Amino acid sequence: MNEPSFAHFRRRLYALFVATGLAVTAHAQVASPDVQRAEEAVLQAQQADADQWAPELMDAARAGLVQAQAGAMSRSRSERREAEELARRVAVDADLARARSERAQAEAALQQRRAEVAELRQSLGLPAEGTP
């Protein structure tokens, strides 16, 4: 009778080891939902020109995002938790920067419209707004 070879077990063991290593690597490269949300919030703030209207908040958000991304890739569970908390703070800072930017842009547009209305009233010979 032929004795079964244990070589096929060794190959399967190697395959299992490689598959496990790939799964762990893939898991480590997937950013947490909090980090992804922070990345999106920073991008939205950039698109809203928050660099111009809230530069300090944007600088803080970008620096925090880099730290959160690095911490999310850590092997330490406590560092990953801290990174998730930091990512949530980054998302809030970026959202605030976006909101301040949108508010400043709206106020600038309002001032421009008011100036246009005042100019039109003057050209039509109407009294300034608010005068009896």
Side-chain angles (χ1 to χ4, degrees):
M1 240 169 127
N2 288 340
E3 291 292 319
S5 171
F6 288 101
H8 68 281
F9 289 121
R10 185 176 291 154
R11 283 188 216 125
R12 287 185 181 167
L13 184 60
Y14 287 146
L16 179 63
F17 180 72
V18 169
T20 303
L22 290 174
V24 168
T25 303
H27 176 70
Q29 291 179 356
V30 174
S32 75
D34 291 325
V35 173
Q36 289 176 342
R37 168 69 183 103
E39 291 169 351
E40 291 170 10
V42 169
L43 181 61
Q44 289 173 352
Q46 287 174 335
Q47 291 171 345
D49 292 330
D51 288 312
Q52 177 181 353
W53 302 100
E56 301 85 20
L57 275 173
M58 283 303 295
D59 290 342
R62 279 195 194 94
L65 180 59
V66 169
Q67 288 178 329
Q69 289 169 329
M73 297 299 166
S74 173
R75 291 183 182 225
S76 166
R77 184 174 288 180
S78 65
E79 287 181 19
R80 287 194 309 265
R81 272 191 242 123
E82 288 174 12
E84 289 173 1
E85 183 179 327
L86 179 59
R88 288 189 292 271
R89 279 186 266 145
V90 165
V92 170
D93 285 347
D95 286 342
L96 179 59
R98 180 186 47 78
R100 285 185 180 174
S101 177
E102 289 172 352
R103 178 181 175 195
Q105 290 175 23
E107 287 175 352
L110 177 62
Q111 290 299 331
Q112 182 179 357
R113 297 300 177 261
R114 284 182 175 163
E116 290 171 359
V117 168
E119 185 178 318
L120 286 172
R121 288 175 91 58
Q122 184 180 12
S123 68
L124 293 172
L126 298 174
E129 196 169 339
T131 54

